[in-house]
Amino acid sequence: MMPSFFIAHGAPSLVVEDHAYTDFLKNFAAHIPKPKAIVLFSAHWEQSIQTVSAVESYSTIYDFRGFQEELYRMTYPAAGDRLLSGQIQSLFTKHGIPCVMDGERGLDHGAWAVLKLIYPDADIPVVALSVNRYLTNEQQYEIGKALSALREQDVLIIGSGGTVHNLRQVKRNSAGIEDWAVTFDNWLQNKLETWDVEALFQYDKLAPYAQEAIPTNEHFIPLLLAMGAGDANRRAELLHRSYQWGNLSLSCWQFN
């Protein structure tokens, strides 16, 4: 069965950076079977109702400002998979999750910057999915869980976000890592490895430095979605964790 993954996407510049995390992502595909398709939840596609992309091929969205000019020339012309989109719609309906289809939107940088490092040839069909910050954490988990059957079909499920993602706190010239960011991530690691969903669903009240790490929850939601997709076996493994700019967490979790 294909694992599901949470992958931090950092800043848009991740795709042109050179460090331990980008090396990890460039070697990621060598350690799992080649998927038949990729289903990806991006923190940068927010909708009030669960939305499923149903496009023939994707345009590239440049949803950022002030970064290197070369980023605005990059493309990731992945194909969609409308049959898979329809299957996802059916799974959501079966589990009582309202959803709509979208036949126009391209891939935002939360999707294409990560995918370009992992699968640079853009030769695997992609179905992009939105996130909704106004649902409960339990509901987020259930959305991921509803798609868990896709893993048996060699479909790769990815949640793209960030566990410590507070752009007001980053220090671009910092060489060190701030203790509060590590403390939050260590708490998170313990709860994920023990699959303590009760604590995770209340992370904003229980985790140390939760407000500093996650001032708004849209980047944390993809972690719960990917975790929910791994509910059947409930095994979590931290594959990589590093930091940049003092506290921006770059991590990858595997759920199988």
Side-chain angles (χ1 to χ4, degrees):
M1 183 182 292
M2 182 74 72
S4 60
F5 294 90
F6 169 80
I7 300 176
H9 60 246
S13 55
L14 181 74
V15 72
V16 295
E17 293 169 359
D18 183 15
H19 46 65
Y21 188 54
T22 57
D23 287 345
F24 166 79
L25 291 178
K26 289 173 183 176
N27 289 290
F28 179 93
H31 300 285
I32 63 171
K34 186 173 182 178
K36 293 180 179 176
I38 299 167
V39 171
L40 190 145
F41 293 91
S42 171
H44 289 275
W45 187 14
E46 292 191 62
Q47 295 290 303
S48 59
I49 184 171
Q50 181 62 60
T51 307
V52 181
S53 66
V55 303
E56 184 174 341
S57 62
Y58 287 97
S59 60
T60 304
I61 301 174
Y62 306 102
D63 53 330
F64 47 83
R65 287 188 235 170
F67 286 89
Q68 299 96 319
E69 186 61 32
E70 63 185 299
L71 295 178
Y72 302 91
R73 297 192 296 269
M74 287 186 174
T75 61
Y76 194 79
D81 186 333
R82 287 174 171 164
L83 287 177
L84 179 57
S85 297
Q87 185 180 359
I88 291 169
Q89 183 182 39
S90 296
L91 286 170
F92 283 148
T93 300
K94 176 183 176 182
H95 289 86
I97 299 167
C99 69
V100 297
M101 309 295 274
D102 180 286
E104 297 182 358
R105 192 178 190 275
L107 294 176
D108 59 65
H109 83 269
W112 68 259
V114 166
L115 293 178
K116 197 168 183 71
L117 288 168
I118 299 174
Y119 297 109
D121 295 331
D123 58 349
I124 300 172
V126 175
V127 175
L129 299 177
S130 67
V131 301
N132 180 356
R133 71 170 70 194
Y134 299 107
L135 300 178
T136 66
N137 292 326
E138 292 90 339
Q139 288 173 310
Q140 310 290 2
Y141 186 91
E142 291 299 319
I143 288 171
K145 186 177 176 181
L147 301 184
S148 60
L150 297 177
R151 296 170 52 209
E152 299 176 6
Q153 303 171 30
D154 294 328
V155 172
L156 174 60
I157 299 174
I158 295 174
S160 174
T163 60
V164 180
H165 192 278
N166 186 343
L167 299 184
R168 293 185 177 182
Q169 294 280 356
V170 298
K171 297 175 174 61
R172 290 179 181 266
N173 297 319
S174 174
I177 304 169
E178 296 192 281
D179 289 342
W180 64 265
V182 177
T183 299
F184 175 83
D185 266 343
N186 285 342
W187 181 92
L188 184 61
Q189 180 174 353
N190 174 265
K191 302 310 176 188
L192 288 168
E193 290 177 344
T194 58
W195 213 273
D196 187 350
V197 292
E198 296 305 318
L200 287 166
F201 292 162
Q202 302 181 71
Y203 78 89
D204 54 333
K205 301 180 183 67
L206 300 179
Y209 303 106
Q211 295 308 311
E212 289 85 351
I214 308 292
T216 57
N217 68 342
E218 75 283 350
H219 276 77
F220 193 81
I221 290 168
L223 177 69
L224 298 173
L225 294 164
M227 186 184 187
D231 180 80
N233 295 321
R234 297 194 162 198
R235 291 194 297 268
E237 181 181 358
L238 180 62
L239 301 184
H240 179 94
R241 189 171 81 190
S242 56
Y243 298 85
Q244 66 181 162
W245 303 343
N247 53 59
L248 185 63
S249 180
L250 301 175
S251 61
C252 178
W253 280 93
Q254 174 176 311
F255 302 106
N256 59 358

mmCIF file of all heavy atoms in Angstrom, residues 189-232:
data_model
loop_
_atom_site.group_PDB
_atom_site.id
_atom_site.type_symbol
_atom_site.label_atom_id
_atom_site.label_comp_id
_atom_site.label_asym_id
_atom_site.label_seq_id
_atom_site.Cartn_x
_atom_site.Cartn_y
_atom_site.Cartn_z
ATOM 1 N N GLN A 189 6.086 15.707 17.232
ATOM 2 C CA GLN A 189 6.665 14.411 16.902
ATOM 3 C C GLN A 189 6.180 13.326 17.857
ATOM 4 O O GLN A 189 5.813 12.228 17.443
ATOM 5 C CB GLN A 189 8.193 14.491 16.940
ATOM 6 C CG GLN A 189 8.875 13.166 16.613
ATOM 7 C CD GLN A 189 10.390 13.282 16.520
ATOM 8 O OE1 GLN A 189 10.950 14.384 16.570
ATOM 9 N NE2 GLN A 189 11.069 12.164 16.382
ATOM 10 N N ASN A 190 6.169 13.623 19.131
ATOM 11 C CA ASN A 190 5.697 12.652 20.123
ATOM 12 C C ASN A 190 4.250 12.258 19.875
ATOM 13 O O ASN A 190 3.892 11.062 19.923
ATOM 14 C CB ASN A 190 5.866 13.224 21.524
ATOM 15 C CG ASN A 190 5.268 12.325 22.595
ATOM 16 O OD1 ASN A 190 4.122 12.518 23.016
ATOM 17 N ND2 ASN A 190 6.030 11.343 23.042
ATOM 18 N N LYS A 191 3.402 13.219 19.601
ATOM 19 C CA LYS A 191 1.975 12.938 19.410
ATOM 20 C C LYS A 191 1.724 12.198 18.099
ATOM 21 O O LYS A 191 0.826 11.346 18.024
ATOM 22 C CB LYS A 191 1.162 14.232 19.451
ATOM 23 C CG LYS A 191 1.321 15.022 20.739
ATOM 24 C CD LYS A 191 1.135 14.170 21.986
ATOM 25 C CE LYS A 191 1.406 14.963 23.249
ATOM 26 N NZ LYS A 191 1.404 14.110 24.466
ATOM 27 N N LEU A 192 2.505 12.492 17.076
ATOM 28 C CA LEU A 192 2.345 11.775 15.816
ATOM 29 C C LEU A 192 2.836 10.333 15.945
ATOM 30 O O LEU A 192 2.161 9.393 15.492
ATOM 31 C CB LEU A 192 3.104 12.496 14.702
ATOM 32 C CG LEU A 192 2.498 13.817 14.223
ATOM 33 C CD1 LEU A 192 3.483 14.563 13.337
ATOM 34 C CD2 LEU A 192 1.193 13.579 13.466
ATOM 35 N N GLU A 193 3.983 10.143 16.549
ATOM 36 C CA GLU A 193 4.546 8.793 16.650
ATOM 37 C C GLU A 193 3.723 7.888 17.553
ATOM 38 O O GLU A 193 3.730 6.668 17.369
ATOM 39 C CB GLU A 193 5.990 8.874 17.148
ATOM 40 C CG GLU A 193 6.937 9.461 16.108
ATOM 41 C CD GLU A 193 8.352 9.614 16.595
ATOM 42 O OE1 GLU A 193 8.578 9.564 17.828
ATOM 43 O OE2 GLU A 193 9.252 9.807 15.747
ATOM 44 N N THR A 194 3.009 8.464 18.511
ATOM 45 C CA THR A 194 2.112 7.676 19.360
ATOM 46 C C THR A 194 0.671 7.704 18.860
ATOM 47 O O THR A 194 -0.216 7.123 19.479
ATOM 48 C CB THR A 194 2.158 8.187 20.804
ATOM 49 O OG1 THR A 194 1.791 9.577 20.839
ATOM 50 C CG2 THR A 194 3.560 8.011 21.398
ATOM 51 N N TRP A 195 0.461 8.363 17.741
ATOM 52 C CA TRP A 195 -0.860 8.513 17.101
ATOM 53 C C TRP A 195 -1.892 9.016 18.124
ATOM 54 O O TRP A 195 -3.005 8.504 18.237
ATOM 55 C CB TRP A 195 -1.324 7.217 16.458
ATOM 56 C CG TRP A 195 -2.140 7.464 15.214
ATOM 57 C CD1 TRP A 195 -3.481 7.679 15.153
ATOM 58 C CD2 TRP A 195 -1.659 7.548 13.861
ATOM 59 N NE1 TRP A 195 -3.879 7.883 13.849
ATOM 60 C CE2 TRP A 195 -2.770 7.797 13.026
ATOM 61 C CE3 TRP A 195 -0.414 7.418 13.276
ATOM 62 C CZ2 TRP A 195 -2.672 7.933 11.646
ATOM 63 C CZ3 TRP A 195 -0.305 7.549 11.904
ATOM 64 C CH2 TRP A 195 -1.420 7.798 11.106
ATOM 65 N N ASP A 196 -1.525 10.038 18.859
ATOM 66 C CA ASP A 196 -2.397 10.620 19.879
ATOM 67 C C ASP A 196 -3.277 11.688 19.231
ATOM 68 O O ASP A 196 -3.033 12.880 19.340
ATOM 69 C CB ASP A 196 -1.533 11.227 20.995
ATOM 70 C CG ASP A 196 -2.358 11.698 22.179
ATOM 71 O OD1 ASP A 196 -3.600 11.729 22.073
ATOM 72 O OD2 ASP A 196 -1.747 12.052 23.210
ATOM 73 N N VAL A 197 -4.307 11.213 18.556
ATOM 74 C CA VAL A 197 -5.154 12.150 17.822
ATOM 75 C C VAL A 197 -5.919 13.075 18.759
ATOM 76 O O VAL A 197 -6.201 14.227 18.404
ATOM 77 C CB VAL A 197 -6.122 11.416 16.863
ATOM 78 C CG1 VAL A 197 -5.364 10.764 15.724
ATOM 79 C CG2 VAL A 197 -6.971 10.401 17.602
ATOM 80 N N GLU A 198 -6.240 12.602 19.961
ATOM 81 C CA GLU A 198 -6.969 13.461 20.883
ATOM 82 C C GLU A 198 -6.155 14.705 21.224
ATOM 83 O O GLU A 198 -6.686 15.816 21.290
ATOM 84 C CB GLU A 198 -7.325 12.676 22.156
ATOM 85 C CG GLU A 198 -8.280 11.511 21.920
ATOM 86 C CD GLU A 198 -9.563 11.937 21.227
ATOM 87 O OE1 GLU A 198 -10.116 13.006 21.591
ATOM 88 O OE2 GLU A 198 -10.008 11.225 20.310
ATOM 89 N N ALA A 199 -4.862 14.518 21.447
ATOM 90 C CA ALA A 199 -3.997 15.673 21.720
ATOM 91 C C ALA A 199 -3.798 16.520 20.469
ATOM 92 O O ALA A 199 -3.829 17.761 20.528
ATOM 93 C CB ALA A 199 -2.654 15.197 22.259
ATOM 94 N N LEU A 200 -3.617 15.868 19.326
ATOM 95 C CA LEU A 200 -3.382 16.599 18.089
ATOM 96 C C LEU A 200 -4.586 17.458 17.698
ATOM 97 O O LEU A 200 -4.422 18.565 17.186
ATOM 98 C CB LEU A 200 -3.033 15.631 16.962
ATOM 99 C CG LEU A 200 -1.632 15.021 17.044
ATOM 100 C CD1 LEU A 200 -1.509 13.844 16.098
ATOM 101 C CD2 LEU A 200 -0.579 16.072 16.728
ATOM 102 N N PHE A 201 -5.761 16.946 17.951
ATOM 103 C CA PHE A 201 -6.956 17.719 17.617
ATOM 104 C C PHE A 201 -7.081 18.974 18.499
ATOM 105 O O PHE A 201 -7.808 19.900 18.157
ATOM 106 C CB PHE A 201 -8.209 16.865 17.776
ATOM 107 C CG PHE A 201 -8.320 15.749 16.762
ATOM 108 C CD1 PHE A 201 -9.172 14.668 16.991
ATOM 109 C CD2 PHE A 201 -7.573 15.762 15.598
ATOM 110 C CE1 PHE A 201 -9.280 13.652 16.063
ATOM 111 C CE2 PHE A 201 -7.674 14.726 14.666
ATOM 112 C CZ PHE A 201 -8.536 13.667 14.902
ATOM 113 N N GLN A 202 -6.362 18.988 19.626
ATOM 114 C CA GLN A 202 -6.365 20.151 20.522
ATOM 115 C C GLN A 202 -4.978 20.791 20.592
ATOM 116 O O GLN A 202 -4.635 21.405 21.595
ATOM 117 C CB GLN A 202 -6.790 19.725 21.927
ATOM 118 C CG GLN A 202 -8.154 19.076 22.008
ATOM 119 C CD GLN A 202 -8.497 18.706 23.434
ATOM 120 O OE1 GLN A 202 -8.768 19.550 24.284
ATOM 121 N NE2 GLN A 202 -8.464 17.415 23.717
ATOM 122 N N TYR A 203 -4.198 20.652 19.522
ATOM 123 C CA TYR A 203 -2.822 21.148 19.541
ATOM 124 C C TYR A 203 -2.745 22.627 19.874
ATOM 125 O O TYR A 203 -1.805 23.098 20.530
ATOM 126 C CB TYR A 203 -2.130 20.878 18.201
ATOM 127 C CG TYR A 203 -2.518 21.858 17.116
ATOM 128 C CD1 TYR A 203 -1.811 23.048 16.930
ATOM 129 C CD2 TYR A 203 -3.615 21.616 16.296
ATOM 130 C CE1 TYR A 203 -2.187 23.963 15.949
ATOM 131 C CE2 TYR A 203 -3.990 22.524 15.327
ATOM 132 C CZ TYR A 203 -3.275 23.693 15.158
ATOM 133 O OH TYR A 203 -3.655 24.597 14.210
ATOM 134 N N ASP A 204 -3.744 23.383 19.428
ATOM 135 C CA ASP A 204 -3.713 24.824 19.658
ATOM 136 C C ASP A 204 -3.831 25.177 21.138
ATOM 137 O O ASP A 204 -3.400 26.259 21.561
ATOM 138 C CB ASP A 204 -4.818 25.518 18.854
ATOM 139 C CG ASP A 204 -6.196 24.934 19.118
ATOM 140 O OD1 ASP A 204 -6.294 23.742 19.468
ATOM 141 O OD2 ASP A 204 -7.187 25.672 18.973
ATOM 142 N N LYS A 205 -4.384 24.259 21.952
ATOM 143 C CA LYS A 205 -4.507 24.479 23.391
ATOM 144 C C LYS A 205 -3.425 23.756 24.179
ATOM 145 O O LYS A 205 -3.046 24.206 25.271
ATOM 146 C CB LYS A 205 -5.883 24.003 23.874
ATOM 147 C CG LYS A 205 -7.071 24.682 23.209
ATOM 148 C CD LYS A 205 -8.371 24.141 23.745
ATOM 149 C CE LYS A 205 -9.577 24.762 23.042
ATOM 150 N NZ LYS A 205 -9.650 24.366 21.613
ATOM 151 N N LEU A 206 -2.921 22.629 23.662
ATOM 152 C CA LEU A 206 -2.030 21.777 24.438
ATOM 153 C C LEU A 206 -0.556 21.913 24.077
ATOM 154 O O LEU A 206 0.305 21.712 24.939
ATOM 155 C CB LEU A 206 -2.442 20.306 24.268
ATOM 156 C CG LEU A 206 -3.859 19.934 24.707
ATOM 157 C CD1 LEU A 206 -4.113 18.448 24.443
ATOM 158 C CD2 LEU A 206 -4.071 20.252 26.177
ATOM 159 N N ALA A 207 -0.250 22.220 22.842
ATOM 160 C CA ALA A 207 1.145 22.222 22.403
ATOM 161 C C ALA A 207 1.864 23.476 22.883
ATOM 162 O O ALA A 207 1.306 24.581 22.807
ATOM 163 C CB ALA A 207 1.228 22.128 20.889
ATOM 164 N N PRO A 208 3.102 23.340 23.351
ATOM 165 C CA PRO A 208 3.871 24.525 23.719
ATOM 166 C C PRO A 208 4.185 25.379 22.501
ATOM 167 O O PRO A 208 4.526 24.855 21.442
ATOM 168 C CB PRO A 208 5.152 23.938 24.329
ATOM 169 C CG PRO A 208 5.276 22.570 23.717
ATOM 170 C CD PRO A 208 3.867 22.090 23.529
ATOM 171 N N TYR A 209 4.007 26.673 22.630
ATOM 172 C CA TYR A 209 4.295 27.646 21.566
ATOM 173 C C TYR A 209 3.430 27.432 20.317
ATOM 174 O O TYR A 209 3.836 27.773 19.210
ATOM 175 C CB TYR A 209 5.775 27.603 21.179
ATOM 176 C CG TYR A 209 6.706 27.856 22.333
ATOM 177 C CD1 TYR A 209 7.427 26.823 22.907
ATOM 178 C CD2 TYR A 209 6.850 29.132 22.862
ATOM 179 C CE1 TYR A 209 8.271 27.042 23.992
ATOM 180 C CE2 TYR A 209 7.695 29.372 23.945
ATOM 181 C CZ TYR A 209 8.396 28.321 24.501
ATOM 182 O OH TYR A 209 9.235 28.550 25.566
ATOM 183 N N ALA A 210 2.228 26.894 20.513
ATOM 184 C CA ALA A 210 1.350 26.633 19.364
ATOM 185 C C ALA A 210 1.021 27.904 18.610
ATOM 186 O O ALA A 210 0.994 27.915 17.370
ATOM 187 C CB ALA A 210 0.073 25.938 19.828
ATOM 188 N N GLN A 211 0.757 28.998 19.321
ATOM 189 C CA GLN A 211 0.381 30.234 18.642
ATOM 190 C C GLN A 211 1.555 30.845 17.883
ATOM 191 O O GLN A 211 1.371 31.452 16.831
ATOM 192 C CB GLN A 211 -0.184 31.231 19.653
ATOM 193 C CG GLN A 211 -1.481 30.774 20.296
ATOM 194 C CD GLN A 211 -2.532 30.356 19.286
ATOM 195 O OE1 GLN A 211 -2.807 31.083 18.333
ATOM 196 N NE2 GLN A 211 -3.124 29.194 19.472
ATOM 197 N N GLU A 212 2.765 30.682 18.412
ATOM 198 C CA GLU A 212 3.931 31.155 17.689
ATOM 199 C C GLU A 212 4.189 30.318 16.441
ATOM 200 O O GLU A 212 4.557 30.840 15.386
ATOM 201 C CB GLU A 212 5.173 31.122 18.593
ATOM 202 C CG GLU A 212 5.183 32.157 19.698
ATOM 203 C CD GLU A 212 4.428 31.692 20.937
ATOM 204 O OE1 GLU A 212 3.745 30.646 20.887
ATOM 205 O OE2 GLU A 212 4.516 32.371 21.962
ATOM 206 N N ALA A 213 4.000 29.005 16.558
ATOM 207 C CA ALA A 213 4.295 28.100 15.444
ATOM 208 C C ALA A 213 3.233 28.152 14.359
ATOM 209 O O ALA A 213 3.549 28.168 13.169
ATOM 210 C CB ALA A 213 4.436 26.664 15.962
ATOM 211 N N ILE A 214 1.980 28.193 14.768
ATOM 212 C CA ILE A 214 0.859 28.109 13.829
ATOM 213 C C ILE A 214 -0.123 29.233 14.143
ATOM 214 O O ILE A 214 -1.183 29.014 14.737
ATOM 215 C CB ILE A 214 0.144 26.736 13.933
ATOM 216 C CG1 ILE A 214 1.130 25.596 13.819
ATOM 217 C CG2 ILE A 214 -0.923 26.617 12.848
ATOM 218 C CD1 ILE A 214 1.767 25.454 12.451
ATOM 219 N N PRO A 215 0.190 30.464 13.779
ATOM 220 C CA PRO A 215 -0.738 31.569 14.068
ATOM 221 C C PRO A 215 -2.045 31.450 13.288
ATOM 222 O O PRO A 215 -3.094 31.899 13.756
ATOM 223 C CB PRO A 215 0.055 32.807 13.667
ATOM 224 C CG PRO A 215 1.070 32.315 12.677
ATOM 225 C CD PRO A 215 1.417 30.929 13.110
ATOM 226 N N THR A 216 -1.986 30.883 12.094
ATOM 227 C CA THR A 216 -3.185 30.546 11.324
ATOM 228 C C THR A 216 -3.017 29.099 10.868
ATOM 229 O O THR A 216 -1.918 28.641 10.577
ATOM 230 C CB THR A 216 -3.360 31.462 10.102
ATOM 231 O OG1 THR A 216 -2.181 31.390 9.281
ATOM 232 C CG2 THR A 216 -3.564 32.901 10.544
ATOM 233 N N ASN A 217 -4.115 28.384 10.806
ATOM 234 C CA ASN A 217 -4.013 26.917 10.745
ATOM 235 C C ASN A 217 -3.936 26.309 9.353
ATOM 236 O O ASN A 217 -3.821 25.097 9.210
ATOM 237 C CB ASN A 217 -5.189 26.287 11.484
ATOM 238 C CG ASN A 217 -6.525 26.518 10.786
ATOM 239 O OD1 ASN A 217 -6.653 27.400 9.943
ATOM 240 N ND2 ASN A 217 -7.521 25.738 11.153
ATOM 241 N N GLU A 218 -3.996 27.126 8.295
ATOM 242 C CA GLU A 218 -4.090 26.524 6.957
ATOM 243 C C GLU A 218 -2.857 25.690 6.598
ATOM 244 O O GLU A 218 -2.962 24.724 5.832
ATOM 245 C CB GLU A 218 -4.358 27.599 5.899
ATOM 246 C CG GLU A 218 -3.176 28.481 5.523
ATOM 247 C CD GLU A 218 -2.865 29.547 6.546
ATOM 248 O OE1 GLU A 218 -3.674 29.754 7.485
ATOM 249 O OE2 GLU A 218 -1.806 30.184 6.406
ATOM 250 N N HIS A 219 -1.698 26.007 7.157
ATOM 251 C CA HIS A 219 -0.503 25.216 6.848
ATOM 252 C C HIS A 219 -0.404 23.953 7.690
ATOM 253 O O HIS A 219 0.335 23.027 7.324
ATOM 254 C CB HIS A 219 0.756 26.070 7.002
ATOM 255 C CG HIS A 219 1.061 26.886 5.791
ATOM 256 N ND1 HIS A 219 0.384 28.039 5.493
ATOM 257 C CD2 HIS A 219 1.939 26.693 4.779
ATOM 258 C CE1 HIS A 219 0.838 28.533 4.348
ATOM 259 N NE2 HIS A 219 1.772 27.730 3.897
ATOM 260 N N PHE A 220 -1.129 23.908 8.800
ATOM 261 C CA PHE A 220 -1.140 22.713 9.649
ATOM 262 C C PHE A 220 -2.163 21.684 9.158
ATOM 263 O O PHE A 220 -1.979 20.479 9.331
ATOM 264 C CB PHE A 220 -1.461 23.114 11.091
ATOM 265 C CG PHE A 220 -1.198 22.032 12.110
ATOM 266 C CD1 PHE A 220 0.074 21.811 12.594
ATOM 267 C CD2 PHE A 220 -2.232 21.234 12.588
ATOM 268 C CE1 PHE A 220 0.327 20.829 13.528
ATOM 269 C CE2 PHE A 220 -1.997 20.250 13.525
ATOM 270 C CZ PHE A 220 -0.716 20.038 14.001
ATOM 271 N N ILE A 221 -3.223 22.155 8.545
ATOM 272 C CA ILE A 221 -4.297 21.277 8.080
ATOM 273 C C ILE A 221 -3.782 20.137 7.201
ATOM 274 O O ILE A 221 -4.199 18.981 7.378
ATOM 275 C CB ILE A 221 -5.380 22.088 7.343
ATOM 276 C CG1 ILE A 221 -6.151 22.964 8.331
ATOM 277 C CG2 ILE A 221 -6.340 21.185 6.581
ATOM 278 C CD1 ILE A 221 -7.036 24.013 7.673
ATOM 279 N N PRO A 222 -2.878 20.370 6.235
ATOM 280 C CA PRO A 222 -2.431 19.251 5.390
ATOM 281 C C PRO A 222 -1.779 18.111 6.159
ATOM 282 O O PRO A 222 -1.818 16.964 5.705
ATOM 283 C CB PRO A 222 -1.432 19.929 4.436
ATOM 284 C CG PRO A 222 -1.928 21.348 4.342
ATOM 285 C CD PRO A 222 -2.376 21.668 5.731
ATOM 286 N N LEU A 223 -1.206 18.399 7.326
ATOM 287 C CA LEU A 223 -0.655 17.325 8.159
ATOM 288 C C LEU A 223 -1.764 16.409 8.646
ATOM 289 O O LEU A 223 -1.639 15.174 8.591
ATOM 290 C CB LEU A 223 0.102 17.930 9.339
ATOM 291 C CG LEU A 223 0.669 16.933 10.349
ATOM 292 C CD1 LEU A 223 1.819 16.128 9.738
ATOM 293 C CD2 LEU A 223 1.143 17.649 11.617
ATOM 294 N N LEU A 224 -2.855 16.973 9.110
ATOM 295 C CA LEU A 224 -3.983 16.165 9.582
ATOM 296 C C LEU A 224 -4.637 15.396 8.443
ATOM 297 O O LEU A 224 -5.081 14.251 8.627
ATOM 298 C CB LEU A 224 -5.011 17.071 10.272
ATOM 299 C CG LEU A 224 -4.523 17.802 11.523
ATOM 300 C CD1 LEU A 224 -5.576 18.787 11.998
ATOM 301 C CD2 LEU A 224 -4.177 16.807 12.632
ATOM 302 N N LEU A 225 -4.690 15.999 7.260
ATOM 303 C CA LEU A 225 -5.261 15.316 6.096
ATOM 304 C C LEU A 225 -4.419 14.107 5.707
ATOM 305 O O LEU A 225 -4.945 13.019 5.462
ATOM 306 C CB LEU A 225 -5.353 16.299 4.927
ATOM 307 C CG LEU A 225 -6.332 17.464 5.118
ATOM 308 C CD1 LEU A 225 -6.051 18.565 4.108
ATOM 309 C CD2 LEU A 225 -7.773 16.990 5.005
ATOM 310 N N ALA A 226 -3.098 14.288 5.645
ATOM 311 C CA ALA A 226 -2.209 13.173 5.302
ATOM 312 C C ALA A 226 -2.236 12.101 6.370
ATOM 313 O O ALA A 226 -2.204 10.907 6.074
ATOM 314 C CB ALA A 226 -0.787 13.697 5.097
ATOM 315 N N MET A 227 -2.302 12.521 7.627
ATOM 316 C CA MET A 227 -2.370 11.562 8.727
ATOM 317 C C MET A 227 -3.662 10.751 8.656
ATOM 318 O O MET A 227 -3.659 9.530 8.846
ATOM 319 C CB MET A 227 -2.283 12.306 10.053
ATOM 320 C CG MET A 227 -2.192 11.405 11.266
ATOM 321 S SD MET A 227 -2.208 12.367 12.807
ATOM 322 C CE MET A 227 -1.874 11.059 13.992
ATOM 323 N N GLY A 228 -4.769 11.428 8.391
ATOM 324 C CA GLY A 228 -6.043 10.720 8.273
ATOM 325 C C GLY A 228 -6.017 9.655 7.198
ATOM 326 O O GLY A 228 -6.590 8.568 7.354
ATOM 327 N N ALA A 229 -5.299 9.931 6.095
ATOM 328 C CA ALA A 229 -5.196 8.944 5.013
ATOM 329 C C ALA A 229 -4.416 7.717 5.462
ATOM 330 O O ALA A 229 -4.521 6.654 4.836
ATOM 331 C CB ALA A 229 -4.530 9.572 3.794
ATOM 332 N N GLY A 230 -3.645 7.837 6.544
ATOM 333 C CA GLY A 230 -2.890 6.704 7.074
ATOM 334 C C GLY A 230 -3.545 6.043 8.270
ATOM 335 O O GLY A 230 -2.888 5.286 9.004
ATOM 336 N N ASP A 231 -4.830 6.296 8.481
ATOM 337 C CA ASP A 231 -5.515 5.816 9.683
ATOM 338 C C ASP A 231 -5.552 4.296 9.810
ATOM 339 O O ASP A 231 -5.570 3.768 10.921
ATOM 340 C CB ASP A 231 -6.942 6.373 9.716
ATOM 341 C CG ASP A 231 -7.712 5.923 10.934
ATOM 342 O OD1 ASP A 231 -7.513 6.525 12.005
ATOM 343 O OD2 ASP A 231 -8.504 4.964 10.821
ATOM 344 N N ALA A 232 -5.554 3.583 8.696
ATOM 345 C CA ALA A 232 -5.737 2.133 8.755
ATOM 346 C C ALA A 232 -4.668 1.443 9.594
ATOM 347 O O ALA A 232 -4.958 0.552 10.404
ATOM 348 C CB ALA A 232 -5.743 1.553 7.339
#
